Amino acid sequence: MTPARPGPTPAVTVVGIGADGWGGLPDTSRTALRDAEVLIGGPRQLDLLPPECAGERTAWPSPLRPAVPGLLAAHAGRRIAVLASGDPMFYGIGRALAEETSALRVLPHPSSVSYAAARLGWPLEDVEVVTLVGRPTARLAAALHDGRRLLVLSADADTPGEVAALLRGRGFGTSRMRVLEQLGGERERTSGESTADDWARAHPPGDPLNIVAVECRRAPDALRLGAVPGLPDEAYEHDGQLTKRYVRAATLGALAPAPGELLWDIGGGSGSIAIEWMRTHPSCRAVTVERDPVRAERITRNAERLGVPGLRVVTGAAPAVLAELPPPDAVFVGGGLTAPGLLDACWEALPGGGRLVANTVTLESEALLADAHRRHSGELVRLAVAHAVPVGGFTGWRQAMPVTQWAAQKTIDPAPGADR
């Protein structure tokens, strides 16, 4: 049997490097760095290399991501080595490079998360990792659940203090915190344990290269937010325009969010549907359309508070603004159903397999949903919720306005030439 010939040498080699620098690299990584004609990395990483790495040194500009294609093109045909912190494919530059070239070789180093779990004795599969590098601190709020362990990738020396402030503001001030700095290096240090309530006075900012370990503890009087749709109505700031808890849970069930999908939330109100769509998975995305500027600002505040600051809020009227939006995987229409052409525009925007869910409490809009059900099939249901309330010295039921809901999935067109 003739042995397979080795493939061509990749144009770009990504080398993971830790706080231990050159001394912590295996021979394969050292060879790649010595042989490189171009060395690209952050100034701190480049400074870790000895003079024997003689390639042309280029520091990443800021912002980094838009510069990647240009730098690769500028050095095309040369042997390029890119330095990355720890594991390049774990919240690192490896992802951006893989999106630009298939001629990629990755030589990983243990990540700061692996080091932190080892130092703390935390099984890594039981820990949630949240990165705040280039991302708002508010996104941490979606990961807060009593008893959970979190490892937070810090942007700089101020991140631990910002994490502590967020924990206090969300009712998790008794959570236990530690900061691990320069993991794997000679200056490695782990802080003493403290609560988020006491962090600011006990721990001044330290090394910018750090990771924050959090053991979440919710205060007894803090509002409990679960991991599934149907958060308490009290979790939202609203003016009455809110899809109530039990109808909201049924609506998200019909929308059926999946990782990476994009939702259009038309007539956002308080933003509850879009917010809880995004809370189902970190990669879920949403755009909410709200014509009232005051409500649009309120949606933004709710999204920040509930841990999904990436929610995009578009202030404008549908269907006029829909042409500017990226194609959705699902659409929810919670308001404005009687706007001419709205329902048809939403349906046309969906790809095959996309879902549309619309709710209403008015007879006029209900007639539109009945017609849509006739034309596109799907499921037409009425949701009725009643709450027990005092009636004199007794208890009776108070009925909320019933909600008519139409939910449908668009047919996937068969591929050309497929059997019909």
Side-chain angles (χ1 to χ4, degrees), residues 31-403:
T31 299
L33 293 170
R34 290 192 192 100
D35 291 347
E37 297 172 286
V38 180
L39 297 160
I40 303 175
R44 179 185 62 81
Q45 296 159 339
L46 292 170
D47 288 344
L48 295 173
L49 301 184
E52 62 194 87
C53 298
E56 177 187 341
R57 301 191 181 198
T58 301
W60 287 115
S62 180
L64 186 154
R65 182 61 183 90
V68 172
L71 273 177
L72 295 183
H75 298 293
R78 306 174 74 187
R79 294 188 300 277
I80 301 173
V82 175
L83 289 165
S85 295
D87 185 345
M89 304 307 293
F90 187 73
Y91 292 111
I93 190 61
R95 175 174 181 167
L97 292 168
E99 291 171 354
E100 298 297 334
T101 177
S102 59
L104 189 66
R105 180 190 187 199
V106 180
L107 303 175
H109 187 278
S111 70
S112 60
V113 167
S114 294
Y115 274 123
R119 302 295 188 263
L120 297 166
W122 289 3
L124 198 50
E125 66 270 20
D126 295 335
V127 175
E128 184 164 355
V129 179
V130 180
T131 180
L132 299 182
V133 180
R135 296 166 174 85
T137 308
R139 71 192 304 267
L140 178 62
L144 301 182
H145 298 285
D146 199 27
R148 287 290 287 167
R149 288 172 168 174
L150 310 178
L151 290 175
V152 183
L153 305 182
S154 290
D156 52 37
D158 294 327
T159 301
E162 294 168 0
V163 167
L166 183 138
L167 291 169
R168 293 194 300 271
R170 300 302 192 280
F172 282 79
T174 57
S175 298
R176 313 299 294 182
M177 290 179 55
R178 279 172 285 184
V179 173
L180 300 93
E181 302 173 345
Q182 291 285 335
L183 283 161
E186 294 180 355
R187 295 187 292 121
E188 180 177 318
R189 173 182 173 272
T190 299
S191 74
E193 188 177 74
S194 180
T195 66
D197 285 333
D198 295 334
W199 187 263
R201 57 177 173 269
H203 298 278
D207 194 280
L209 191 63
N210 72 81
I211 189 168
V212 185
V214 180
E215 294 184 85
C216 296
R217 296 182 182 176
R218 180 175 56 86
D221 59 347
L223 190 64
R224 188 180 190 281
L225 304 180
V228 299
L231 299 183
D233 294 344
E234 295 81 3
Y236 293 95
E237 177 188 349
H238 64 91
D239 61 359
Q241 292 297 311
L242 172 72
T243 302
K244 300 301 192 292
R245 181 179 193 174
Y246 300 104
V247 173
R248 190 185 327 128
T251 300
L252 267 296
L255 286 167
E261 289 190 326
L262 173 68
L263 172 75
W264 286 1
D265 176 15
I266 311 299
S270 64
S272 63
I273 296 294
I275 288 169
E276 295 191 27
W277 167 282
M278 293 182 68
R279 282 175 60 94
T280 63
H281 194 272
S283 65
C284 282
R285 300 163 294 135
V287 180
T288 186
V289 176
E290 173 54 58
R291 64 182 180 182
D292 185 328
V294 174
R295 287 178 180 163
E297 292 178 2
R298 187 179 293 121
I299 291 170
T300 298
R301 292 194 296 272
N302 281 331
E304 289 270 343
R305 185 181 308 110
L306 293 170
V308 288
L311 173 60
R312 179 183 171 190
V313 182
V314 174
T315 306
V321 300
L322 301 184
E324 307 167 8
L325 306 183
D329 297 289
V331 178
F332 171 65
V333 184
L337 269 170
T338 55
L342 173 60
L343 204 56
D344 286 340
C346 291
W347 185 257
E348 288 301 317
L350 285 171
R355 291 90 62 204
L356 191 152
V357 177
N359 292 354
T360 187
V361 296
T362 70
L363 292 174
E364 291 79 5
S365 294
E366 186 177 276
L368 294 174
L369 296 188
D371 179 64
H373 177 256
R374 178 186 59 79
R375 291 185 289 126
H376 302 298
S377 189
E379 190 174 23
L380 192 63
V381 300
R382 178 164 289 177
L383 306 172
V385 177
H387 295 270
V389 296
V391 180
F394 299 93
T395 304
W397 293 107
R398 175 171 294 165
Q399 185 78 40
M401 293 183 69
V403 175

Side-chain angles (χ1 to χ4, degrees), residues 15 21-35 53 107:
V15 178
W22 183 257
L25 293 177
D27 289 341
T28 304
S29 296
R30 292 185 180 188
T31 299
L33 293 170
R34 290 192 192 100
D35 291 347
C53 298
L107 303 175

